[in-house]
Amino acid sequence: MINDFEIYDGIESRNMPDFVPDAKFSKYSDYVVAPALKQAVNVSLALGQPLLLTGEPGTGKTQLAYHLSNYFHKGIGEPENLFVFNTKTTSSAKDLFYQYDSLKHFQYIQTSGNKQLSIPEIEDRFINYQALGAAIKSGIRGIVLIDEIDKAPRDFPNDILDVMESLEFEVPELNKVGTNKITALPEHRPIIIMTSNSEKSLPDAFLRRCVFYHIPFPDAAMLLQILKAKAGKYNEKELSIIIEHFEKIRAVSRRKKPSTAELLYWVAILEKLDFNVSWLEHPESMGAANRNKLVGTYTTLAKNEEDAKLILDLLL
């Protein structure tokens, strides 16, 4: 379990709660954070800037936000400090702040004889605050995950910059007297984690105002650390054998190399089968039945016919 996260010791991190393991979210408490990634998080905290993460699918970009939520969350149960936005190709900046149910509001007006509602009633009935908007309105320092931001239209990143810096946005539909703005105090500035699969480039103006970190694919030592934190049955030597075989599989795979997440799934199924991993070093000694059993587990690693054949050739 990771419990020594190097929180930046400055204004941005004062009065943070101590880490308390959460039963429901313990799978994120043992998330292994590389020193360079810890440093990137601390820089983001120090500057109050969003952290933009890239890396192969399955390297833990999204999971970092859940880990941070678990790290800062105190108590048992669903954390109230995590706000998630799953970006779509049709997403607009407004979608990140709030949604207004105009149809429901119109139907209410028609059926109520134009009865006027108060601003809080309109807000409660017809305004649904979304990730960044909900975090700004929450009155706590939350973690905001904007997942796969590169999916959004090109204007989306630039359109949210001002709100991320000012911590305020407008809700015109509330028709407040004097101001329609929702604001947050500086001490409640959210920790914003954004992920990108680099499917398309992001605007330079946006990148200038982010802390950037690329999560590299873990080396053998890091993979061993990850498996030791997550796996249960195998000892360190056996896990090293698994990693060596996995790296051979990644080396021969052409169309899609298996990720860290898929390695974890593979180890989980090997554990369930009580598979003797020493056979991976000497495939000729495992026998037909155990060979077929191993081949069956490769379905967690190979996701196309070409790579499946190349992986099977390792056993010949």
Side-chain angles (χ1 to χ4, degrees):
M1 179 178 296
I2 297 297
N3 58 8
D4 60 345
F5 198 85
E6 297 173 5
I7 296 302
Y8 176 78
D9 188 18
I11 294 174
E12 289 296 330
S13 61
R14 286 178 187 165
N15 301 320
M16 285 296 183
D18 295 329
F19 172 70
V20 176
D22 184 297
K24 188 172 183 179
F25 282 79
S26 61
K27 63 179 179 178
Y28 299 115
S29 66
D30 57 15
Y31 179 89
V32 177
V33 185
L37 179 54
K38 288 184 181 183
Q39 198 169 35
V41 172
N42 289 329
V43 170
S44 174
L45 290 171
L47 297 177
Q49 290 185 336
L51 174 61
L52 174 63
L53 298 174
T54 63
E56 284 186 36
T59 50
K61 300 186 297 295
T62 299
Q63 283 71 23
L64 175 67
Y66 287 87
H67 167 76
L68 292 176
S69 174
N70 188 53
Y71 185 92
F72 289 123
H73 176 59
K74 198 168 187 176
I76 303 300
E78 190 83 20
E80 297 177 354
N81 64 342
L82 178 64
F83 304 90
V84 179
F85 183 79
N86 295 304
T87 314
K88 300 179 176 61
T89 56
T90 57
S91 295
S92 68
K94 179 182 174 182
D95 296 330
L96 186 56
F97 309 134
Y98 73 97
Q99 292 178 343
Y100 168 60
D101 194 336
S102 58
L103 178 59
K104 186 177 179 182
H105 196 175
F106 176 76
Q107 289 173 339
Y108 171 82
I109 292 172
Q110 295 298 307
T111 58
S112 66
N114 287 322
K115 179 184 176 183
Q116 294 297 312
L117 293 174
S118 67
I119 293 300
E121 288 175 322
I122 293 174
E123 189 174 39
D124 182 61
R125 294 188 181 202
F126 311 120
I127 302 294
N128 183 19
Y129 290 99
Q130 301 300 299
L132 185 53
I136 291 173
K137 192 175 185 299
S138 67
I140 63 173
R141 191 183 194 201
I143 289 86
V144 176
L145 169 63
I146 306 175
D147 211 15
E148 299 185 333
I149 192 172
D150 53 323
K151 279 186 176 180
R154 185 166 177 81
D155 289 341
F156 177 89
N158 285 341
D159 289 346
I160 65 176
L161 277 175
D162 288 341
V163 175
M164 287 195 293
E165 292 188 350
S166 66
L167 301 181
E168 65 178 28
F169 63 98
E170 292 187 353
V171 184
E173 293 82 0
L174 292 181
N175 296 317
K176 287 185 177 179
V177 176
T179 180
N180 299 315
K181 290 183 178 179
I182 306 294
T183 63
L185 297 173
E187 58 265 31
H188 295 153
R189 174 173 292 280
I191 301 168
I192 301 174
I193 307 295
M194 301 179 291
T195 72
S196 169
N197 289 323
S198 302
E199 293 181 1
K200 59 184 178 185
S201 61
L202 295 168
D204 289 345
F206 174 77
L207 294 174
R208 282 196 299 269
R209 291 149 86 177
C210 296
V211 174
F212 171 82
Y213 183 75
H214 177 80
I215 301 180
F217 193 83
D219 60 16
M222 188 66 173
L223 287 175
L224 180 60
Q225 189 178 352
I226 292 170
L227 291 185
K228 286 170 69 175
K230 301 248 181 207
K233 291 186 178 180
Y234 296 123
N235 59 38
E236 185 169 323
K237 181 180 179 181
E238 291 169 326
L239 291 176
S240 296
I241 293 172
I242 290 173
I243 291 168
E244 182 179 359
H245 192 74
F246 175 74
E247 289 184 325
K248 290 178 181 177
I249 288 173
R250 274 186 58 88
V252 301
S253 299
R254 292 177 182 172
R255 293 184 57 189
K256 184 196 175 300
K257 296 183 183 295
S259 68
T260 310
E262 288 159 328
L263 169 61
L264 291 170
Y265 294 141
W266 185 47
V267 173
I269 196 63
L270 290 177
E271 288 183 343
K272 286 182 179 295
L273 294 173
D274 200 22
F275 189 80
N276 183 350
V277 297
S278 64
W279 287 330
L280 296 176
E281 293 184 301
H282 306 286
E284 70 282 355
S285 67
M286 72 176 68
N290 290 313
R291 184 181 185 279
N292 289 337
K293 188 183 295 185
L294 176 61
V295 168
T297 69
Y298 285 159
T299 55
T300 62
L301 301 174
K303 302 302 169 68
N304 60 79
E305 185 178 1
E306 180 183 356
D307 286 345
K309 184 179 184 306
L310 291 170
I311 293 172
L312 288 178
D313 288 343
L314 291 174
L315 295 180
L316 299 179

